[in-house]
PDB file of all heavy atoms in Angstrom:
ATOM      1  N   TYR A   1       0.856  -1.141   0.025  1.00  0.00           N
ATOM      2  CA  TYR A   1       0.000  -0.005  -0.004  1.00  0.00           C
ATOM      3  C   TYR A   1       0.926   1.238   0.016  1.00  0.00           C
ATOM      4  O   TYR A   1       1.729   1.349   0.920  1.00  0.00           O
ATOM      5  CB  TYR A   1      -0.912   0.004   1.209  1.00  0.00           C
ATOM      6  CG  TYR A   1      -1.784   1.252   1.225  1.00  0.00           C
ATOM      7  CD1 TYR A   1      -2.889   1.358   0.356  1.00  0.00           C
ATOM      8  CD2 TYR A   1      -1.558   2.284   2.187  1.00  0.00           C
ATOM      9  CE1 TYR A   1      -3.637   2.545   0.384  1.00  0.00           C
ATOM     10  CE2 TYR A   1      -2.370   3.383   2.176  1.00  0.00           C
ATOM     11  CZ  TYR A   1      -3.370   3.508   1.303  1.00  0.00           C
ATOM     12  OH  TYR A   1      -4.205   4.631   1.302  1.00  0.00           O
ATOM     13  N   GLU A   2       0.790   2.043  -0.977  1.00  0.00           N
ATOM     14  CA  GLU A   2       1.603   3.239  -1.189  1.00  0.00           C
ATOM     15  C   GLU A   2       3.132   2.967  -0.935  1.00  0.00           C
ATOM     16  O   GLU A   2       3.761   3.625  -0.161  1.00  0.00           O
ATOM     17  CB  GLU A   2       1.092   4.343  -0.199  1.00  0.00           C
ATOM     18  CG  GLU A   2      -0.314   4.790  -0.589  1.00  0.00           C
ATOM     19  CD  GLU A   2      -0.659   6.132   0.007  1.00  0.00           C
ATOM     20  OE1 GLU A   2       0.096   6.707   0.861  1.00  0.00           O
ATOM     21  OE2 GLU A   2      -1.766   6.608  -0.349  1.00  0.00           O
ATOM     22  N   ASN A   3       3.566   2.052  -1.675  1.00  0.00           N
ATOM     23  CA  ASN A   3       5.019   1.601  -1.679  1.00  0.00           C
ATOM     24  C   ASN A   3       5.601   1.094  -0.386  1.00  0.00           C
ATOM     25  O   ASN A   3       6.767   1.085  -0.211  1.00  0.00           O
ATOM     26  CB  ASN A   3       5.857   2.831  -2.223  1.00  0.00           C
ATOM     27  CG  ASN A   3       5.531   3.269  -3.643  1.00  0.00           C
ATOM     28  OD1 ASN A   3       5.348   2.362  -4.497  1.00  0.00           O
ATOM     29  ND2 ASN A   3       5.464   4.536  -3.885  1.00  0.00           N
ATOM     30  N   GLU A   4       4.729   0.718   0.478  1.00  0.00           N
ATOM     31  CA  GLU A   4       5.176   0.055   1.728  1.00  0.00           C
ATOM     32  C   GLU A   4       4.525  -1.298   1.757  1.00  0.00           C
ATOM     33  O   GLU A   4       3.425  -1.519   1.234  1.00  0.00           O
ATOM     34  CB  GLU A   4       4.644   0.846   3.023  1.00  0.00           C
ATOM     35  CG  GLU A   4       5.223   2.306   3.040  1.00  0.00           C
ATOM     36  CD  GLU A   4       6.630   2.250   3.672  1.00  0.00           C
ATOM     37  OE1 GLU A   4       7.139   1.192   4.102  1.00  0.00           O
ATOM     38  OE2 GLU A   4       7.263   3.341   3.698  1.00  0.00           O
ATOM     39  N   ARG A   5       5.214  -2.282   2.393  1.00  0.00           N
ATOM     40  CA  ARG A   5       4.653  -3.594   2.576  1.00  0.00           C
ATOM     41  C   ARG A   5       3.989  -3.709   3.945  1.00  0.00           C
ATOM     42  O   ARG A   5       4.519  -3.232   4.902  1.00  0.00           O
ATOM     43  CB  ARG A   5       5.708  -4.653   2.426  1.00  0.00           C
ATOM     44  CG  ARG A   5       6.152  -4.924   1.008  1.00  0.00           C
ATOM     45  CD  ARG A   5       7.116  -6.073   0.842  1.00  0.00           C
ATOM     46  NE  ARG A   5       7.133  -6.971   2.014  1.00  0.00           N
ATOM     47  CZ  ARG A   5       8.130  -7.757   2.323  1.00  0.00           C
ATOM     48  NH1 ARG A   5       9.225  -7.740   1.659  1.00  0.00           N
ATOM     49  NH2 ARG A   5       8.088  -8.588   3.323  1.00  0.00           N
ATOM     50  N   TYR A   6       2.860  -4.444   3.971  1.00  0.00           N
ATOM     51  CA  TYR A   6       2.137  -4.640   5.156  1.00  0.00           C
ATOM     52  C   TYR A   6       1.760  -6.066   5.302  1.00  0.00           C
ATOM     53  O   TYR A   6       1.717  -6.810   4.320  1.00  0.00           O
ATOM     54  CB  TYR A   6       0.819  -3.817   5.202  1.00  0.00           C
ATOM     55  CG  TYR A   6       1.078  -2.320   5.264  1.00  0.00           C
ATOM     56  CD1 TYR A   6       1.256  -1.574   4.152  1.00  0.00           C
ATOM     57  CD2 TYR A   6       1.200  -1.653   6.513  1.00  0.00           C
ATOM     58  CE1 TYR A   6       1.519  -0.177   4.169  1.00  0.00           C
ATOM     59  CE2 TYR A   6       1.475  -0.315   6.582  1.00  0.00           C
ATOM     60  CZ  TYR A   6       1.633   0.448   5.391  1.00  0.00           C
ATOM     61  OH  TYR A   6       1.933   1.760   5.487  1.00  0.00           O
ATOM     62  N   VAL A   7       1.614  -6.528   6.516  1.00  0.00           N
ATOM     63  CA  VAL A   7       1.162  -7.883   6.751  1.00  0.00           C
ATOM     64  C   VAL A   7      -0.078  -7.897   7.648  1.00  0.00           C
ATOM     65  O   VAL A   7      -0.312  -7.019   8.477  1.00  0.00           O
ATOM     66  CB  VAL A   7       2.299  -8.722   7.466  1.00  0.00           C
ATOM     67  CG1 VAL A   7       2.664  -8.156   8.849  1.00  0.00           C
ATOM     68  CG2 VAL A   7       1.970 -10.177   7.534  1.00  0.00           C
ATOM     69  N   ALA A   8      -0.969  -8.808   7.302  1.00  0.00           N
ATOM     70  CA  ALA A   8      -2.313  -8.924   8.051  1.00  0.00           C
ATOM     71  C   ALA A   8      -2.208 -10.262   8.784  1.00  0.00           C
ATOM     72  O   ALA A   8      -1.963 -11.352   8.188  1.00  0.00           O
ATOM     73  CB  ALA A   8      -3.473  -8.920   7.127  1.00  0.00           C
ATOM     74  N   LEU A   9      -2.350 -10.187  10.148  1.00  0.00           N
ATOM     75  CA  LEU A   9      -2.324 -11.387  10.906  1.00  0.00           C
ATOM     76  C   LEU A   9      -3.568 -11.478  11.797  1.00  0.00           C
ATOM     77  O   LEU A   9      -4.177 -10.429  12.060  1.00  0.00           O
ATOM     78  CB  LEU A   9      -1.117 -11.255  11.887  1.00  0.00           C
ATOM     79  CG  LEU A   9       0.230 -11.094  11.264  1.00  0.00           C
ATOM     80  CD1 LEU A   9       1.303 -10.828  12.287  1.00  0.00           C
ATOM     81  CD2 LEU A   9       0.715 -12.217  10.418  1.00  0.00           C
ATOM     82  N   VAL A  10      -3.896 -12.675  12.257  1.00  0.00           N
ATOM     83  CA  VAL A  10      -4.992 -12.861  13.197  1.00  0.00           C
ATOM     84  C   VAL A  10      -4.448 -13.805  14.265  1.00  0.00           C
ATOM     85  O   VAL A  10      -3.655 -14.697  13.979  1.00  0.00           O
ATOM     86  CB  VAL A  10      -6.221 -13.422  12.510  1.00  0.00           C
ATOM     87  CG1 VAL A  10      -6.079 -14.780  11.934  1.00  0.00           C
ATOM     88  CG2 VAL A  10      -7.419 -13.391  13.418  1.00  0.00           C
ATOM     89  N   PRO A  11      -4.780 -13.517  15.572  1.00  0.00           N
ATOM     90  CA  PRO A  11      -4.327 -14.422  16.598  1.00  0.00           C
ATOM     91  C   PRO A  11      -4.718 -15.897  16.290  1.00  0.00           C
ATOM     92  O   PRO A  11      -5.845 -16.125  15.942  1.00  0.00           O
ATOM     93  CB  PRO A  11      -5.041 -13.957  17.876  1.00  0.00           C
ATOM     94  CG  PRO A  11      -5.287 -12.537  17.570  1.00  0.00           C
ATOM     95  CD  PRO A  11      -5.568 -12.440  16.116  1.00  0.00           C
ATOM     96  N   ALA A  12      -3.745 -16.792  16.367  1.00  0.00           N
ATOM     97  CA  ALA A  12      -3.944 -18.160  15.883  1.00  0.00           C
ATOM     98  C   ALA A  12      -5.112 -18.863  16.737  1.00  0.00           C
ATOM     99  O   ALA A  12      -5.852 -19.613  16.216  1.00  0.00           O
ATOM    100  CB  ALA A  12      -2.664 -19.000  16.127  1.00  0.00           C
ATOM    101  N   ALA A  13      -5.291 -18.425  17.998  1.00  0.00           N
ATOM    102  CA  ALA A  13      -6.344 -18.956  18.807  1.00  0.00           C
ATOM    103  C   ALA A  13      -7.673 -18.526  18.304  1.00  0.00           C
ATOM    104  O   ALA A  13      -8.727 -19.200  18.627  1.00  0.00           O
ATOM    105  CB  ALA A  13      -6.157 -18.540  20.294  1.00  0.00           C
ATOM    106  N   GLN A  14      -7.785 -17.523  17.511  1.00  0.00           N
ATOM    107  CA  GLN A  14      -9.089 -16.961  17.012  1.00  0.00           C
ATOM    108  C   GLN A  14      -9.170 -17.101  15.493  1.00  0.00           C
ATOM    109  O   GLN A  14     -10.099 -16.571  14.843  1.00  0.00           O
ATOM    110  CB  GLN A  14      -9.162 -15.508  17.315  1.00  0.00           C
ATOM    111  CG  GLN A  14      -9.117 -15.109  18.794  1.00  0.00           C
ATOM    112  CD  GLN A  14      -9.068 -13.622  19.058  1.00  0.00           C
ATOM    113  OE1 GLN A  14      -9.255 -12.838  18.144  1.00  0.00           O
ATOM    114  NE2 GLN A  14      -8.808 -13.284  20.247  1.00  0.00           N
ATOM    115  N   ALA A  15      -8.320 -17.887  14.889  1.00  0.00           N
ATOM    116  CA  ALA A  15      -8.199 -17.926  13.370  1.00  0.00           C
ATOM    117  C   ALA A  15      -9.532 -18.403  12.729  1.00  0.00           C
ATOM    118  O   ALA A  15      -9.779 -17.993  11.649  1.00  0.00           O
ATOM    119  CB  ALA A  15      -7.049 -18.878  12.976  1.00  0.00           C
ATOM    120  N   ASP A  16     -10.263 -19.210  13.445  1.00  0.00           N
ATOM    121  CA  ASP A  16     -11.536 -19.721  12.873  1.00  0.00           C
ATOM    122  C   ASP A  16     -12.686 -18.851  13.179  1.00  0.00           C
ATOM    123  O   ASP A  16     -13.880 -19.090  12.731  1.00  0.00           O
ATOM    124  CB  ASP A  16     -11.845 -21.103  13.335  1.00  0.00           C
ATOM    125  CG  ASP A  16     -10.726 -22.114  12.847  1.00  0.00           C
ATOM    126  OD1 ASP A  16     -10.253 -21.883  11.704  1.00  0.00           O
ATOM    127  OD2 ASP A  16     -10.463 -23.102  13.543  1.00  0.00           O
ATOM    128  N   ASP A  17     -12.490 -17.761  13.949  1.00  0.00           N
ATOM    129  CA  ASP A  17     -13.569 -16.877  14.322  1.00  0.00           C
ATOM    130  C   ASP A  17     -13.756 -15.707  13.313  1.00  0.00           C
ATOM    131  O   ASP A  17     -12.748 -15.012  13.082  1.00  0.00           O
ATOM    132  CB  ASP A  17     -13.257 -16.305  15.730  1.00  0.00           C
ATOM    133  CG  ASP A  17     -14.297 -15.380  16.305  1.00  0.00           C
ATOM    134  OD1 ASP A  17     -15.299 -15.064  15.538  1.00  0.00           O
ATOM    135  OD2 ASP A  17     -14.194 -14.948  17.431  1.00  0.00           O
ATOM    136  N   ASP A  18     -14.854 -15.604  12.655  1.00  0.00           N
ATOM    137  CA  ASP A  18     -15.119 -14.532  11.720  1.00  0.00           C
ATOM    138  C   ASP A  18     -14.988 -13.170  12.318  1.00  0.00           C
ATOM    139  O   ASP A  18     -14.837 -12.185  11.628  1.00  0.00           O
ATOM    140  CB  ASP A  18     -16.445 -14.712  11.005  1.00  0.00           C
ATOM    141  CG  ASP A  18     -16.472 -15.925  10.086  1.00  0.00           C
ATOM    142  OD1 ASP A  18     -15.367 -16.351   9.666  1.00  0.00           O
ATOM    143  OD2 ASP A  18     -17.570 -16.350   9.773  1.00  0.00           O
ATOM    144  N   GLU A  19     -15.154 -13.044  13.603  1.00  0.00           N
ATOM    145  CA  GLU A  19     -15.095 -11.783  14.319  1.00  0.00           C
ATOM    146  C   GLU A  19     -13.649 -11.538  14.881  1.00  0.00           C
ATOM    147  O   GLU A  19     -13.512 -10.542  15.657  1.00  0.00           O
ATOM    148  CB  GLU A  19     -16.105 -11.760  15.445  1.00  0.00           C
ATOM    149  CG  GLU A  19     -17.557 -11.897  14.990  1.00  0.00           C
ATOM    150  CD  GLU A  19     -18.076 -10.756  14.126  1.00  0.00           C
ATOM    151  OE1 GLU A  19     -17.773  -9.636  14.514  1.00  0.00           O
ATOM    152  OE2 GLU A  19     -18.731 -11.059  13.121  1.00  0.00           O
ATOM    153  N   ALA A  20     -12.719 -12.318  14.573  1.00  0.00           N
ATOM    154  CA  ALA A  20     -11.337 -12.162  15.119  1.00  0.00           C
ATOM    155  C   ALA A  20     -10.774 -10.819  14.669  1.00  0.00           C
ATOM    156  O   ALA A  20     -11.037 -10.294  13.579  1.00  0.00           O
ATOM    157  CB  ALA A  20     -10.462 -13.256  14.616  1.00  0.00           C
ATOM    158  N   GLU A  21     -10.011 -10.260  15.610  1.00  0.00           N
ATOM    159  CA  GLU A  21      -9.306  -9.021  15.371  1.00  0.00           C
ATOM    160  C   GLU A  21      -8.148  -9.205  14.425  1.00  0.00           C
ATOM    161  O   GLU A  21      -7.213 -10.011  14.683  1.00  0.00           O
ATOM    162  CB  GLU A  21      -8.838  -8.327  16.666  1.00  0.00           C
ATOM    163  CG  GLU A  21      -8.145  -7.018  16.456  1.00  0.00           C
ATOM    164  CD  GLU A  21      -7.612  -6.572  17.866  1.00  0.00           C
ATOM    165  OE1 GLU A  21      -7.801  -7.148  18.876  1.00  0.00           O
ATOM    166  OE2 GLU A  21      -7.077  -5.389  17.763  1.00  0.00           O
ATOM    167  N   VAL A  22      -8.069  -8.437  13.356  1.00  0.00           N
ATOM    168  CA  VAL A  22      -6.981  -8.474  12.351  1.00  0.00           C
ATOM    169  C   VAL A  22      -5.938  -7.498  12.846  1.00  0.00           C
ATOM    170  O   VAL A  22      -6.205  -6.352  13.156  1.00  0.00           O
ATOM    171  CB  VAL A  22      -7.484  -8.156  10.964  1.00  0.00           C
ATOM    172  CG1 VAL A  22      -6.281  -8.032  10.009  1.00  0.00           C
ATOM    173  CG2 VAL A  22      -8.478  -9.138  10.461  1.00  0.00           C
ATOM    174  N   ILE A  23      -4.685  -7.958  12.847  1.00  0.00           N
ATOM    175  CA  ILE A  23      -3.512  -7.102  13.191  1.00  0.00           C
ATOM    176  C   ILE A  23      -2.860  -6.717  11.940  1.00  0.00           C
ATOM    177  O   ILE A  23      -2.475  -7.570  11.136  1.00  0.00           O
ATOM    178  CB  ILE A  23      -2.547  -7.898  14.169  1.00  0.00           C
ATOM    179  CG1 ILE A  23      -3.272  -8.540  15.318  1.00  0.00           C
ATOM    180  CG2 ILE A  23      -1.403  -6.982  14.614  1.00  0.00           C
ATOM    181  CD1 ILE A  23      -3.939  -7.672  16.282  1.00  0.00           C
ATOM    182  N   LEU A  24      -2.686  -5.458  11.703  1.00  0.00           N
ATOM    183  CA  LEU A  24      -1.950  -4.988  10.503  1.00  0.00           C
ATOM    184  C   LEU A  24      -0.631  -4.298  10.984  1.00  0.00           C
ATOM    185  O   LEU A  24      -0.671  -3.424  11.883  1.00  0.00           O
ATOM    186  CB  LEU A  24      -2.774  -3.972   9.791  1.00  0.00           C
ATOM    187  CG  LEU A  24      -4.089  -4.434   9.218  1.00  0.00           C
ATOM    188  CD1 LEU A  24      -4.927  -3.269   8.717  1.00  0.00           C
ATOM    189  CD2 LEU A  24      -3.851  -5.388   8.113  1.00  0.00           C
ATOM    190  N   LEU A  25       0.459  -4.758  10.378  1.00  0.00           N
ATOM    191  CA  LEU A  25       1.748  -4.287  10.730  1.00  0.00           C
ATOM    192  C   LEU A  25       2.519  -3.939   9.415  1.00  0.00           C
ATOM    193  O   LEU A  25       2.331  -4.596   8.414  1.00  0.00           O
ATOM    194  CB  LEU A  25       2.599  -5.383  11.506  1.00  0.00           C
ATOM    195  CG  LEU A  25       1.911  -5.773  12.781  1.00  0.00           C
ATOM    196  CD1 LEU A  25       2.650  -7.044  13.310  1.00  0.00           C
ATOM    197  CD2 LEU A  25       1.976  -4.666  13.812  1.00  0.00           C
ATOM    198  N   ARG A  26       3.377  -2.890   9.454  1.00  0.00           N
ATOM    199  CA  ARG A  26       4.183  -2.542   8.353  1.00  0.00           C
ATOM    200  C   ARG A  26       5.423  -3.458   8.439  1.00  0.00           C
ATOM    201  O   ARG A  26       5.952  -3.749   9.486  1.00  0.00           O
ATOM    202  CB  ARG A  26       4.634  -1.055   8.432  1.00  0.00           C
ATOM    203  CG  ARG A  26       5.380  -0.599   7.209  1.00  0.00           C
ATOM    204  CD  ARG A  26       5.646   0.913   7.190  1.00  0.00           C
ATOM    205  NE  ARG A  26       6.599   1.246   8.236  1.00  0.00           N
ATOM    206  CZ  ARG A  26       6.284   1.995   9.329  1.00  0.00           C
ATOM    207  NH1 ARG A  26       5.102   2.399   9.456  1.00  0.00           N
ATOM    208  NH2 ARG A  26       7.184   2.272  10.245  1.00  0.00           N
TER     209      ARG A  26
END
């Protein structure tokens, strides 16, 4: 996004939960 790389992660314990919080990191 705008010449920077980002990663989207979700806590492994919540991976199957559609409501899990997504963590975005540069």
Side-chain angles (χ1 to χ4, degrees):
Y1 178 73
E2 295 196 353
N3 296 319
E4 297 279 352
R5 281 185 24 204
Y6 294 89
V7 63
L9 307 171
V10 65
Q14 301 172 10
D16 294 330
D17 183 355
D18 289 339
E19 300 293 316
E21 180 180 3
V22 174
I23 311 296
L24 297 170
L25 301 168
R26 188 174 65 249

